[in-house]
Amino acid sequence: CVVVSDLSDPHNQHFLRGHDGPITSLDMSKDGKMLASGQVGENSDVIVWDAENKSLLYRLSTHEHGIAKVAFSHDSRFLLTVGDAIDKSLYVWAFVDGKIAASAKGTPLPESGVTAAVWGGFERDIKKRPTNRYILATAGQKQVVIWIYDPSTGKLTPERCQTGAQVRNYTCLAFSDDGEVLFAGSESGDLSAFSVRNRSLLSCLPVCSAGLLTVNLVDHFLITGGGDGSITVMTGVTAANDSYAAAGARGPSMQVVSRGRGQGGIKSVSIINGRDALIGTDKSYLYRCQIIGGGAELSLKLVSESHAAGVIAVGFPPDVSDHVVSSAEDGSVRVWDLGDYSVKARCEGKAQAKALGGGAHNVHHATSLAVAVGCVMTGWTDGDVRCFDEETGEHLWTINNAHRGGVSCLCVAPNQAFIVSGGEEGDVRVWDVRSREMLCHLKEHTARVTSTAVMKDCQTAISASRDRSALCWDLQHERRVSAHTQRMGGINSLALHQNMVNTVTVGQEKKVTYWDLREEQPVRVIDKAHAGSYGEAMEGLATAISHDGKLVATGGTDQRVLLWDFATGKLVVTGIGHSGDVTGLSFSPDDKQLVSVGKDGMVFVWNIYR
C-alpha cells in the first residue's frame, strides 16, 4: 500500500490500498492533486490517486510485467508510465479521459530497462518561445533519449543524445529551468550536461562515489544525491546572459555551494516550500534539510527511519506496552517508541561485524528475538546469540557459535534465568543467561526449529519444527515427554496459550491448528484460513495469542493479518496493509495493540478495540 503521513503528526496516516505487489515507482503531480504509484508483478498496474480525498481515480492496466517509472507532466495534464526491462513499453496518459494518448515499445528503450524518466515542460522554438509540444526524457544503460510529444497529433518522437566517446549507465535526470540543458547522473558518480537543442553532450563533472542516484533543481540550484550518502548543492545551472551554445563545449559552469551527508545512498530529494527538502535514503532514513541558504555544511534533521529490508521478528518487553523491538534482514535491530513511532535505540556494533558480501543488505541478521527486563536477546544467521541493552542499544555479550548453520528461533524463560534457542539443523539448546553456559542440548528434530516456548513452571519447554512436529520437553531431566505431528507440511510458527495446555500452530499445511497438549490429535483445524485472490489456500507464517487468551492472530503469504476468537475459532477481523508475507506478530502486554511485521519491510501497529 501507499502510506500518506503527516510530518507534524505521526499518528495521522492514511493507507491507500489497491496494489497486490511491491510498489516500484511513485510521483506526485505538480499541483499536488494527484498521486501515481506503479507496481511489479502479475497485475503490473499504475494507480492514480486523488491526493486530497485519498481515493482511487484511475487504474491503468496496460503494462504486462512491471513499472519502472511514473512521472507527471509539469502542468499535470499527462502521466508518463514506463515498463521494466521485461515489459519494454512506454505510455503517455491523458487525464481528460484517462486514456492512452501516445505509446512506444522496444527501441529506443534500453534492453536493460529505463532507470530514469522526466518531463521538461514545453519544447521551445528557435527563438526560445514555448510551443504546444511537450518534451520529456528517458535514460538507462549507455543512453539518454529525448522525446517530443505532440498532443494535437498524438505523435511521440524519440531522439538519442550523442555522447561521443563517453560510455555511462545513467541513473537520474533533470531539466534546467529554462529547458535548454538536460542533466544526467550516472553509476560512475558524475553529472553529464546535454544540450536539449542539439541533443549533444556538453560536459561531464565528477560529483561523488558509488554513483549518482538522484538529481533535482530548484531556483537555479541543482541538488544531487550520491550512493555514498553525499548531498551536493551547485549553482551555475543556467546561463547568465545567453544560451548554453554560447558557453561552447564546456557547457554550464557549475560551482559547489554546500554539501551534506546522510545514512545510506540518497535515493530521493523532494523540494518543499521552495527552500527545504525531504531526503530519503536506501537505508530507509528520511531527513529534512534547508537546501537553499543553509550554509556550506548542510544540517540534516532526522524525520523518521525504518528497516531497509524484510522485517522478520518482533516482540514486546515484559509488562511494557509502549515499546516494541523488531529485527530485519538488513542486519538492523530497532527499539521503537509507540508514542511517536520514533526509534528509541538501535542495536548495532559487533552484531553486524560479519558480512556475507555481495550487497549492502546481504549481511548476517537476527532471525529471532526475545525481550527481557532491560535487554534484547537476538539469534543470528551466523549462529551467535547476542544481547543488547534495551535503552541504549549497546552490545552487552555474545554466545558464540550457539548453533551451527544459524539460530532460527529463541525465547526467554518467564524467570529470565535461561534462554531456549532452536537451530537450522534441528537442535534445541538451553543457555544460562548469567554465565552464558549451555545447560542442556535436546536433539530429536530433523529439520529447522521454527518456534520455542517455555511454560510458567520454567521446567517444561515446547519446540516446533519444519519436520512437522511439536515436541514437549522436560528440561530438568532433559527428555521429551510428548510429541504432536501434523499430517502434512512443516510447522512455521507455534504460540503457547496462557493456560499452558493449548497451543496454536500455522505452517505448510496451510491451516490454523489448535492443539491440547494432553491429546494426540488437534482439537480444532481451520482450513484455508489464509487464502489467495482465487480462494486457494495460502501458507501461514506467524501466530500469536493475546495475553488474556481470548484472541489468536495469524499472518501468512496472503499478506493479511487475521484475528480469531480463541474460544470459538471464528474470524473476528482481517487486517489489510502489508504488501509482502507477514513474518512476525506480537500482542502488547496490555492486549490493546497488535504489531505485525513483514517481508515488505513494514512494521504495522494495529489497535484492538473490545
Side-chain angles (χ1 to χ4, degrees):
C1 69
V2 178
V3 182
V4 182
S5 299
D6 187 334
L7 292 177
S8 60
D9 182 5
H11 296 279
N12 185 12
Q13 297 179 342
H14 296 273
F15 300 91
L16 308 182
R17 300 180 176 93
H19 292 287
D20 60 3
I23 296 172
T24 53
S25 187
L26 195 68
D27 192 36
M28 177 74 77
S29 64
K30 304 305 181 287
D31 60 11
K33 294 181 179 180
M34 291 180 290
L35 180 69
S37 56
Q39 72 167 72
V40 69
E42 181 180 352
N43 300 315
S44 53
D45 295 346
V46 173
I47 298 179
V48 181
W49 308 89
D50 184 319
E52 182 178 356
N53 297 321
K54 312 297 187 297
S55 59
L56 190 150
L57 288 176
Y58 301 102
R59 181 181 290 273
L60 314 177
S61 304
T62 304
H63 291 280
E64 296 180 354
H65 182 267
I67 307 301
K69 294 293 176 183
V70 296
F72 284 97
S73 62
H74 71 286
D75 56 5
S76 304
R77 290 183 58 199
F78 299 98
L79 175 69
L80 174 68
T81 64
V82 186
D84 61 12
I86 297 175
D87 183 86
K88 291 188 177 68
S89 62
L90 177 152
Y91 295 93
V92 175
W93 303 81
F95 288 118
V96 174
D97 53 11
K99 296 182 179 180
I100 297 172
S103 65
K105 291 190 176 183
T107 306
L109 299 175
E111 284 295 320
S112 58
V114 170
T115 55
V118 65
W119 292 81
F122 291 114
E123 183 189 24
R124 296 176 183 270
D125 61 21
I126 196 170
K127 295 184 177 180
K128 299 185 181 181
R129 295 172 301 192
T131 67
N132 65 345
R133 296 182 298 273
Y134 290 77
I135 189 167
L136 54 146
T138 59
Q141 187 175 25
K142 302 178 183 179
Q143 68 166 257
V144 174
V145 179
I146 292 178
W147 306 70
I148 301 299
Y149 168 59
D150 188 339
S152 63
T153 63
K155 188 175 181 180
L156 191 60
T157 307
E159 184 177 353
R160 287 186 64 167
C161 292
Q162 301 303 311
T163 59
Q166 175 174 292
V167 178
R168 296 287 188 274
N169 293 331
Y170 297 98
T171 54
C172 50
L173 295 169
F175 282 94
S176 61
D177 292 335
D178 59 8
E180 292 288 337
V181 170
L182 174 64
F183 294 97
S186 75
E187 291 179 356
S188 305
D190 48 34
L191 181 70
S192 299
F194 293 89
S195 167
V196 173
R197 190 175 303 277
N198 300 324
R199 313 292 199 261
S200 60
L201 179 66
L202 294 172
S203 64
C204 185
L205 174 70
V207 177
C208 69
S209 61
L212 267 181
L213 304 182
T214 186
V215 58
N216 206 339
L217 285 105
V218 57
D219 194 23
H220 306 307
F221 288 87
L222 187 141
I223 305 106
T224 64
D228 57 359
S230 64
I231 304 157
T232 306
V233 182
M234 292 177 277
T235 60
V237 298
T238 56
N241 299 311
D242 210 338
S243 68
Y244 285 104
R250 299 187 312 276
S253 177
M254 310 290 289
Q255 181 180 359
V256 175
V257 295
S258 56
R259 296 182 185 272
R261 187 170 294 273
Q263 291 288 327
I266 308 300
K267 296 285 287 185
S268 174
V269 177
S270 299
I271 307 301
I272 53 177
N273 303 328
R275 185 187 64 175
D276 294 350
L278 285 177
I279 299 167
T281 79
D282 61 6
K283 288 191 175 180
S284 295
Y285 288 89
L286 181 65
Y287 300 96
R288 184 163 183 164
C289 176
Q290 183 180 337
I291 291 290
I292 309 304
E297 286 292 328
L298 297 176
S299 177
L300 276 63
K301 179 182 178 182
L302 183 64
V303 176
S304 66
E305 62 180 281
S306 63
H307 296 289
V311 188
I312 48 180
V314 63
F316 280 88
D319 303 320
V320 177
S321 297
D322 57 1
H323 295 153
V324 71
V325 185
S326 60
S327 66
E329 291 174 327
D330 60 359
S332 63
V333 179
R334 284 179 165 90
V335 182
W336 303 87
D337 186 333
L338 295 183
D340 57 5
Y341 306 135
S342 63
V343 173
K344 179 183 175 185
R346 302 177 192 88
C347 303
E348 299 172 342
K350 296 180 181 179
Q352 298 181 42
K354 302 178 183 178
L356 297 173
H361 296 158
N362 195 13
V363 297
H364 283 296
H365 60 269
T367 61
S368 50
L369 63 87
V371 189
V373 175
C375 60
V376 180
M377 316 282 189
T378 56
W380 290 70
T381 54
D382 62 2
D384 292 352
V385 172
R386 296 182 174 90
C387 180
F388 301 90
D389 186 285
E390 183 198 344
E391 290 292 328
T392 65
E394 178 187 359
H395 177 250
L396 300 177
W397 49 259
T398 297
I399 300 175
N400 293 310
N401 303 314
H403 287 273
R404 187 172 62 181
V407 181
S408 54
C409 60
L410 175 147
C411 72
V412 177
N415 63 6
Q416 302 188 39
F418 61 91
I419 303 167
V420 179
S421 62
E424 288 289 336
E425 297 185 348
D427 300 81
V428 176
R429 291 175 175 172
V430 181
W431 308 89
D432 182 82
V433 170
R434 186 177 297 275
S435 67
R436 270 85 76 186
E437 296 292 329
M438 186 168 66
L439 300 177
C440 65
H441 178 197
L442 310 169
K443 176 60 176 174
E444 284 197 30
H445 288 297
T446 59
R448 182 175 81 241
V449 182
T450 55
S451 296
T452 55
V454 180
M455 293 192 179
K456 292 178 182 178
D457 62 6
C458 294
Q459 296 182 4
T460 310
I462 303 174
S463 60
S465 169
R466 290 296 287 268
D467 64 4
R468 300 187 296 120
S469 69
L471 306 180
C472 192
W473 305 92
D474 180 337
L475 298 180
Q476 189 173 4
H477 297 93
E478 300 183 30
R479 62 185 180 89
R480 174 174 60 84
V481 294
S482 66
H484 296 79
T485 305
Q486 286 190 161
R487 291 181 58 190
M488 297 176 61
I491 299 173
N492 290 329
S493 180
L494 174 146
L496 175 65
H497 196 276
Q498 299 305 305
N499 61 17
M500 301 294 119
V501 172
N502 295 107
T503 62
V504 176
T505 61
V506 295
Q508 294 176 308
E509 199 174 33
K510 300 178 181 179
K511 301 174 181 179
V512 176
T513 306
Y514 288 63
W515 304 85
D516 186 318
L517 296 177
R518 299 165 297 187
E519 300 181 22
E520 183 178 354
Q521 298 300 320
V523 294
R524 177 183 293 129
V525 176
I526 304 174
D527 291 314
K528 290 187 178 182
H530 290 271
S533 55
Y534 299 103
E536 71 278 19
M538 304 289 281
E539 194 171 331
L541 300 176
T543 185
I545 300 176
S546 61
H547 295 81
D548 62 8
K550 296 181 179 180
L551 295 173
V552 177
T554 61
T557 56
D558 63 344
Q559 306 175 2
R560 299 182 179 185
V561 175
L562 306 182
L563 204 61
W564 309 85
D565 183 282
F566 178 83
T568 65
K570 292 183 178 179
L571 182 64
V572 177
V573 69
T574 299
I576 300 175
H578 283 283
S579 56
D581 296 351
V582 179
T583 54
L585 295 162
S586 183
F587 283 93
S588 61
D590 61 8
D591 286 334
K592 293 182 179 180
Q593 291 181 315
L594 171 69
V595 177
S596 63
V597 298
K599 284 283 189 178
D600 54 3
M602 301 294 287
V603 177
F604 274 80
V605 181
W606 308 86
N607 290 325
I608 299 174
Y609 300 99
R610 292 189 277 179

